[in-house]
Amino acid sequence: MNYQETVNWMFQRLPMYQTQGATAYRKDLTNTILLADHLGHPENHLKCIHVGGTNGKGSTSHMLASILQEAGYKVGLYTSPHLKDFRERIKINGKEVSEEFVVDFIAENKVFFEENNLSFFEMTVGLAFDYFKNSAVDIAIVEVGMGGRLDSTNIITPLVSVITNIGFDHMQYLGNTLALIAQEKAGIIKHNIPTVIGQYNSETKAVFEKKAALEESPLFFASDQITEDFASPLNGNYQMHNKKTVLQTIRVLQSLHLYNITEENIATGFLKVVENTGLQGRWQQLQVNPLVICDTAHNSDGLKSVLDQIQQQDYEKLHIVMGVVNDKDLAEILPLFPKVATYYFCKPDIPRGLNANILREKALDYSLHGNAFHSVSDAYNAAKKNSTKSDLIFIGGSTFVVAEIL
């Protein structure tokens, strides 16, 4: 198989949470451990930073990678989901894994994958760890896929565990209270390994403190300890919290005396994060006159922050291109959207995409008015056609909507 055929096989044959949802969720690490054993446990050869949380995992991971790259290290970066190309998930110093490596890895292990019915995410984690080991990276930044305790990435023993924040998302798998969700996220806290917490409240703090005490893990609350700030092209208001989390993680890493990271490396790493890592879709400005902003925020916490920032912008009229997945709790997110806006409802081009007409009907219950369109591009083109130079167009509601625009 060539690269495109290989990727098609990965997407179609094996369950993939990104497109299929619940049927792809695995409730234990049995298959991941089986795969790691099959590959010779590449994760044991890696020095890692493990990044979990509800929102901000991707931004935090990319900023950490950028700073370490500026310090002169060979940095592996594993994140999910991708926006356009599968290879975005696996990078070294901002360069995506080669098509050849993906093709060869799948070909060499295809029989094993089929015999053991491995999920898309399980084999992708195996591919990333194998690639990082073979490439002899100095450090790997590994983003949790979902949850933490039972996530396929949780076979690593990191140098530092990072939990950005806790919010309501994937509640059918992780629990319906912040404390229950925090327990799942806290599953990445390891014995004697330092843990950095980004944002917290009294409910989640108690969970983290209990788990850290049990594991004898030194615990750092970034929001309490970090007062410094650094310039960054990531202009979302929520990045303030992520930057504190990143800086606290770097301070912990510096204290381990394994890496030489200067203040200049930190400042330049924050400033060049997009250039160094290729991060996209975070309060990203696509054009001016009219101003067009896209953001991948898709749960209530993330959307609230983004929508609050939209209201702070100067514009004459607001146009919102919106699509969601079919398992999204609309009663949780639709009340957050402004009523004074024109909506362009669309279905992201994946099996999990919610029909645009259904979304439009549900939105009417919250006095959100607009038309349904056959595709994301049709919706976006209509928004541009109906806008003047002084308007603002926002594109969001789902990672997949942003992916189609980019």
Side-chain angles (χ1 to χ4, degrees):
M1 296 187 293
N2 61 26
Y3 173 70
Q4 194 54 57
E5 290 167 342
T6 298
V7 171
N8 289 344
W9 180 86
M10 293 170 72
F11 289 167
Q12 294 168 8
R13 186 176 181 92
L14 301 176
M16 178 185 178
Y17 180 81
Q18 183 175 352
T19 56
Q20 293 172 244
T23 58
Y25 183 62
R26 290 287 169 84
K27 294 182 172 61
D28 61 56
L29 293 174
T30 303
N31 273 12
T32 304
I33 294 169
L34 192 68
L35 175 58
D37 188 56
H38 170 73
L39 297 174
H41 289 279
E43 75 281 2
N44 292 341
H45 297 268
L46 303 175
K47 292 183 174 69
C48 301
I49 297 175
H50 204 186
V51 182
T54 301
N55 293 308
K57 297 189 298 292
S59 295
T60 297
S61 296
H62 283 77
M63 284 188 274
L64 285 168
S66 181
I67 290 168
L68 285 157
Q69 285 173 226
E70 286 297 324
Y73 295 104
K74 190 175 187 179
V75 184
L77 178 61
Y78 176 75
T79 59
S80 62
H82 61 271
L83 289 173
K84 302 298 286 183
D85 184 347
F86 166 78
R87 297 184 303 130
E88 295 168 29
R89 294 171 179 248
I90 304 166
K91 299 178 181 179
I92 295 177
N93 284 9
K95 184 178 180 182
E96 297 170 356
V97 60
S98 69
E99 294 183 355
E100 291 76 17
F101 191 93
V102 175
V103 170
D104 290 346
F105 180 85
I106 296 300
E108 289 169 11
N109 298 285
K110 188 166 176 281
V111 172
F112 178 85
F113 294 152
E114 291 173 329
E115 288 178 348
N116 293 282
N117 190 32
L118 262 70
S119 74
F120 172 90
F121 194 79
E122 287 163 346
M123 65 179 183
T124 301
V125 168
L127 193 164
F129 291 169
D130 195 58
Y131 181 59
F132 294 155
K133 175 198 168 186
N134 289 345
S135 302
V137 298
D138 295 312
I139 190 167
I141 314 300
V142 178
E143 180 191 343
V144 171
M146 190 205 313
R149 182 175 64 94
L150 300 176
D151 189 76
S152 293
T153 63
N154 203 29
I155 60 173
I156 61 175
T157 302
L159 299 173
V160 189
S161 300
V162 181
I163 301 174
T164 57
N165 55 40
I166 301 298
F168 290 111
D169 201 12
H170 304 304
M171 291 156 63
Q172 64 270 51
Y173 312 111
L174 306 181
N176 57 7
T177 68
L178 291 178
L180 286 173
I181 296 170
Q183 284 178 23
E184 290 298 313
K185 306 283 186 184
I188 69 170
I189 297 176
K190 302 291 198 308
H191 185 67
N192 276 336
I193 303 297
T195 301
V196 172
I197 305 296
Q199 297 169 269
Y200 67 88
N201 60 26
S202 58
E203 195 176 354
T204 61
K205 186 177 186 182
V207 173
F208 296 139
E209 288 178 331
K210 181 179 179 181
K211 177 66 172 175
L214 185 67
E215 297 292 347
E216 299 179 332
S217 165
L219 192 58
F220 301 86
F221 291 98
S223 58
D224 295 345
Q225 294 169 258
I226 297 297
T227 57
E228 304 152 88
D229 192 21
F230 289 87
S232 166
L234 304 182
N235 294 319
N237 290 347
Y238 54 84
Q239 297 294 0
M240 172 186 67
H241 303 293
N242 294 331
K243 287 196 286 183
K244 287 187 176 185
T245 305
V246 168
L247 193 52
Q248 182 65 70
T249 305
I250 292 295
R251 297 300 182 216
V252 171
L253 204 59
Q254 288 172 321
S255 73
L256 299 177
H257 303 294
L258 295 173
Y259 300 91
N260 182 27
I261 307 166
T262 68
E263 294 304 295
E264 184 181 354
N265 298 151
I266 294 169
T268 309
F270 276 121
L271 202 57
K272 296 175 65 175
V273 57
V274 174
E275 180 183 338
N276 284 344
T277 68
L279 179 63
Q280 293 193 87
R282 274 68 170 187
W283 193 260
Q284 184 171 345
Q285 181 177 309
L286 301 182
Q287 72 169 62
V288 293
N289 301 324
L291 178 62
V292 180
I293 299 290
C294 69
D295 197 283
T296 56
H298 56 275
N299 54 45
S300 57
D301 283 4
L303 282 167
K304 185 177 187 305
S305 178
V306 169
L307 293 169
D308 284 349
Q309 189 167 353
I310 286 174
Q311 296 300 313
Q312 296 166 18
Q313 308 303 306
D314 290 325
Y315 56 81
E316 188 169 320
K317 291 182 179 179
L318 176 61
H319 307 260
I320 296 181
V321 177
M322 181 187 182
V324 298
V325 291
N326 58 23
D327 55 357
K328 184 61 60 181
D329 184 354
L330 296 178
E332 184 81 17
I333 66 166
L334 288 178
L336 303 174
F337 281 82
K339 294 178 175 59
V340 183
T342 302
Y343 286 84
Y344 304 79
F345 300 106
C346 51
K347 174 188 175 295
D349 189 22
I350 57 168
R352 285 174 66 209
L354 180 66
N355 180 281
N357 286 303
I358 294 174
L359 178 57
R360 177 179 174 274
E361 290 171 11
K362 296 288 186 182
L364 279 173
D365 294 338
Y366 299 90
S367 301
L368 308 180
H369 298 277
N371 295 318
F373 293 84
H374 292 298
S375 68
V376 173
S377 60
D378 285 349
Y380 181 40
N381 288 333
K384 287 193 291 185
K385 184 178 179 180
N386 294 337
S387 300
T388 66
K389 290 183 177 181
S390 55
D391 290 355
L392 189 154
I393 300 173
F394 173 69
I395 304 158
S398 167
T399 300
F400 312 110
V401 171
V402 173
E404 289 188 50
I405 293 301
L406 294 177

